Amino acid sequence: MGKKVAIIGAGVSGLASIRSCLEEGLEPTCFEKSNDIGGLWKFSDHAEEGRASIYKSVFTNSSKEMMCFPDFPYPDDFPNFMHNSKIQEYLTAFAKEKNLLKYIQFKTFVSSVNKRPDFATTGQWDVTTERDGKRESAVFDAVMVCSGHHVYPNLPKESFPGLNHFKGKCFHSRDYKEPGVFKGKRVLVVGLGNSGCDIATELSHTAEQVVISSRSGSWVMSRVWDNGYPWDMVLITRFGTFLKNNLPTAISDWLYMKQMNARFKHGNYGLMPLNGVLRKEPVFNDELPACILCGIVSVKPNVKKFTETSAIFEDGTTFEGIDCVIFATGYSYAYTFLDESIIKNRNNEIILFKGVFPPLLEKSTIAVIGFVQSLGAAIPTVDLQSRWAARVIKGTCTLPSMEDMMNDINEKMERKHKWYGKSETLQTDYIVYMDELSSFIGVKPNIPWLFLTDPKLAMEVYFGPCSSYQFRLVGPGKWPGARNAILTQWDRSLKPLQTRVVGSLQKPRFFFHWLKLFAIPILLIAVFLGLT
């Protein structure tokens, strides 16, 4: 085996990192605090300190064809959007298939990761762990941090005057598990993100009244998109990304807002974002608009102040007799085992080159895996991140100079602020980001070459869903089944729907959809020119 790599966490990012290290001939040792793999997806009926926590009813927001490991498709009969138990089943099967479990030390807590005295020349780290009350320290050539960013709840009590006088229950959404205990209660949910909307709609069937308070609003999307296809298989395409990034800003913004309002007018429902053109991460909830229509969920602006039993909103209205306040206010980013100076370099922000490598270290031997957010799925993202990181650690890939990395970070930050707003520094453009990473390791699909050599595949790669299989078509880690997986992805997405067969399967024809879309303005221009 090659260099010794410590991997912290055995969730999705940790499993991807173990596999990537093995592919590159490195020697991984993964430390997992709990007794099982899965990380965020491993449900527990109580929140555990230092671990991500989900509620019982969590389903995926990404469809199965878009969120699988690129050489390990989900079973055909799995639903497109899966319950957390299905994801856990899939991750367990993946870990067994790739023989990853033997590299994991369970019930082992990483208490500190420190540079060795000779780090400037060796790049090595001292990793201290604790297990069964015993503390051990070992030297590693590199570290891959895979502990996630949904661990430490952000509970901004100081932002809500009077909250200390509130007599009802008050807790963060990470402590929410199921709706039964809220029967007949009056509940205020603070936050209009995915967790806040999921919890509010679930509680609306048992609670007496549910109110959501939102500071800035959100776009709310459905998992069920045009003609009933999964949203991400329709929207996350290379051609769509090309249009978004190359159309004039005014046209791109208009198309974006039109698309977001296609299902319902957000302004009518009190959901409209304050700045609608920002590509902030939308909320995925199929039920919220219906709950608002039926009056079992109400949307209010930010809370101005709390009293002992009520909340007064910034518009002057009041929600009386509150039994419970649930703060779905996100998470803060912290790596308690690591000196903050290693990854926090400016304004207390975590600054990473391409979201992975701290740019100011003498040796690039520590990588953060999974610390990005986009409209794309996490599993393909961390698969590419870990493949790149493993090759950098091995020495097959080299990073730019510190100056070039910082210049790239600054340039990308300006672009992020333009597209996503200043509060969304983790947000990134999925396909652009994936192509950047895949270019580093030589696995980016060559679209022009594909059109010349394999037009059928090229049409699906460019106009169809940008699924993870695309990044195992060529180069290091090439999977022989990638081409067939791309050409049959719609078969696997439609199969679980065929529980009552009423006709032949109807797959989307993206090329003709775009052709039809552009034919209309071309026709109008032709008519106008003909009249003049």
Side-chain angles (χ1 to χ4, degrees):
M1 301 294 286
K3 295 179 178 179
K4 295 174 63 177
V5 183
I7 297 170
I8 304 171
V12 167
S13 299
L15 295 177
S17 296
I18 297 170
R19 198 271 286 268
S20 295
C21 285
L22 294 175
E23 285 185 321
E24 294 300 329
L26 304 174
E27 184 180 348
T29 302
C30 180
F31 302 107
E32 169 55 43
K33 185 178 181 181
S34 72
N35 61 357
D36 202 356
I37 64 170
L40 175 70
W41 295 106
K42 177 65 176 177
F43 174 76
S44 172
D45 58 8
H46 64 280
E48 301 173 26
E49 184 66 28
R51 288 196 66 231
S53 177
I54 57 173
Y55 34 96
K56 193 171 186 179
S57 60
V58 166
F59 280 77
T60 64
N61 292 331
S62 298
S63 64
K64 67 174 183 177
E65 287 303 301
M66 299 295 281
M67 69 173 296
C68 64
F69 282 101
D71 59 345
F72 196 74
Y74 288 88
D76 288 3
D77 60 350
F78 269 40
N80 281 279
F81 296 98
M82 295 160 287
H83 186 257
N84 60 82
S85 59
K86 285 289 187 184
I87 297 295
Q88 186 66 14
E89 183 182 332
Y90 169 79
L91 293 177
T92 300
F94 175 77
K96 290 179 178 178
E97 173 72 19
K98 303 300 181 182
N99 199 23
L100 308 181
L101 297 175
K102 67 180 182 180
Y103 299 99
I104 305 173
Q105 296 184 15
F106 292 106
K107 295 185 178 180
T108 304
F109 170 67
V110 176
S111 56
S112 67
V113 174
N114 295 301
K115 295 179 182 178
R116 286 185 58 76
D118 56 356
F119 178 85
T121 54
T122 66
Q124 292 182 325
W125 301 85
D126 283 318
V127 178
T128 303
T129 59
E130 296 178 19
R131 178 185 170 95
D132 298 328
K134 296 181 180 178
R135 177 172 291 195
E136 294 183 0
S137 186
V139 177
F140 287 89
D141 298 299
V143 176
M144 299 174 81
V145 179
C146 305
S147 52
H149 55 268
H150 293 96
V151 176
Y152 302 100
N154 175 40
L155 195 55
K157 292 185 177 182
E158 67 283 353
S159 300
F160 298 98
L163 185 59
N164 56 320
H165 300 301
F166 177 67
K167 291 187 175 181
K169 290 185 177 179
C170 174
F171 59 89
H172 192 271
S173 58
R174 82 182 303 268
D175 294 308
Y176 173 84
K177 293 298 174 180
E178 54 88 23
V181 296
F182 297 90
K183 186 175 182 179
K185 304 294 185 182
R186 295 171 64 81
V187 182
L188 172 64
V189 178
V190 179
L192 194 64
N194 284 301
S195 295
C197 291
D198 280 354
I199 292 170
T201 53
E202 185 170 68
L203 289 180
S204 69
H205 301 293
T206 55
E208 177 186 321
Q209 180 63 49
V210 178
V211 172
I212 301 176
S213 168
S214 174
R215 181 180 56 189
S216 57
S218 288
W219 293 118
V220 179
M221 292 175 61
S222 173
R223 295 176 177 87
V224 184
W225 208 246
D226 293 348
N227 300 310
Y229 298 118
W231 74 269
D232 48 358
M233 294 187 75
V234 175
L235 291 184
I236 302 180
T237 69
R238 291 183 174 277
F239 184 63
T241 297
F242 169 80
L243 287 181
K244 181 191 74 175
N245 292 333
N246 289 279
L247 285 173
T249 301
I251 296 176
S252 177
D253 290 346
W254 176 80
L255 284 173
Y256 177 72
M257 293 186 68
K258 182 177 175 59
Q259 190 177 58
M260 292 295 103
N261 276 313
R263 182 180 169 214
F264 67 94
K265 302 301 181 186
H266 283 65
N268 294 345
Y269 285 69
L271 297 168
M272 183 74 181
L274 292 180
N275 188 340
V277 299
L278 289 180
R279 270 59 164 182
K280 296 174 67 174
E281 185 179 11
V283 169
F284 289 92
N285 194 291
D286 304 279
E287 197 177 354
L288 181 61
C291 289
I292 296 172
L293 274 179
C294 295
I296 53 178
V297 173
S298 301
V299 181
K300 292 287 186 178
N302 198 37
V303 176
K304 183 178 180 180
K305 69 175 181 178
F306 283 94
T307 69
E308 291 183 350
T309 59
S310 65
I312 302 171
F313 302 103
E314 290 181 344
D315 63 357
T317 58
T318 303
F319 182 29
E320 301 280 0
I322 301 174
D323 296 295
C324 181
V325 179
I326 302 175
F327 285 93
T329 45
Y331 294 83
S332 56
Y333 316 125
Y335 297 103
T336 57
F337 49 82
L338 199 60
D339 189 300
E340 286 194 347
S341 64
I342 292 174
I343 58 175
K344 287 190 177 182
N345 305 112
R346 181 177 58 195
N347 300 326
N348 208 35
E349 293 179 347
I350 293 179
I351 304 297
L352 300 168
F353 178 61
K354 305 302 183 187
V356 176
F357 287 101
L360 302 180
L361 291 178
E362 304 95 318
K363 297 286 184 178
S364 297
T365 55
I366 189 167
V368 181
I369 308 299
F371 195 71
V372 295
Q373 288 178 326
S374 71
L375 267 185
I379 291 178
T381 304
V382 300
D383 182 73
L384 266 184
Q385 286 183 326
S386 61
R387 289 165 69 187
W388 177 44
R391 291 176 68 80
V392 170
I393 291 167
K394 183 180 179 180
T396 311
C397 291
T398 57
L399 297 180
S401 66
M402 289 184 186
E403 182 181 358
D404 287 344
M405 285 193 284
M406 286 305 301
N407 288 338
D408 182 83
I409 289 169
N410 292 331
E411 179 188 333
K412 292 291 193 302
M413 194 65 72
E414 288 180 15
R415 197 175 305 165
K416 283 183 180 182
H417 289 167
K418 174 188 172 184
W419 282 98
Y420 307 111
K422 292 190 176 181
S423 64
E424 299 291 321
T425 54
L426 296 189
Q427 198 77 3
T428 192
D429 186 312
Y430 178 69
I431 293 179
V432 172
Y433 181 68
M434 295 289 277
D435 278 350
E436 282 186 331
L437 296 189
S438 59
S439 294
F440 293 147
I441 54 180
V443 299
K444 179 183 174 182
N446 186 329
I447 305 299
W449 180 249
L450 274 182
F451 271 107
L452 288 173
T453 59
D454 196 339
K456 182 180 179 180
L457 178 63
M459 291 289 286
E460 193 66 26
V461 167
Y462 191 66
F463 291 102
C466 185
S467 50
S468 62
Y469 315 120
Q470 294 191 13
F471 302 103
R472 291 271 179 177
L473 272 171
V474 296
K478 176 182 177 180
W479 178 45
R483 181 183 187 274
N484 183 63
I486 293 170
L487 295 178
T488 57
Q489 57 195 355
W490 283 107
D491 296 316
R492 286 187 299 280
S493 68
L494 294 173
K495 181 172 181 182
L497 305 179
Q498 301 298 296
T499 53
R500 175 176 172 262
V501 179
V502 294
S504 58
L505 295 178
Q506 296 185 27
K507 304 175 187 177
R509 304 173 74 183
F510 289 110
F511 176 74
F512 295 103
H513 165 76
W514 288 112
L515 195 63
K516 202 165 45 173
L517 185 68
F518 284 102
I520 295 172
I522 291 171
L523 181 62
L524 291 174
I525 292 170
V527 171
F528 174 77
L529 292 174
L531 292 174
T532 56

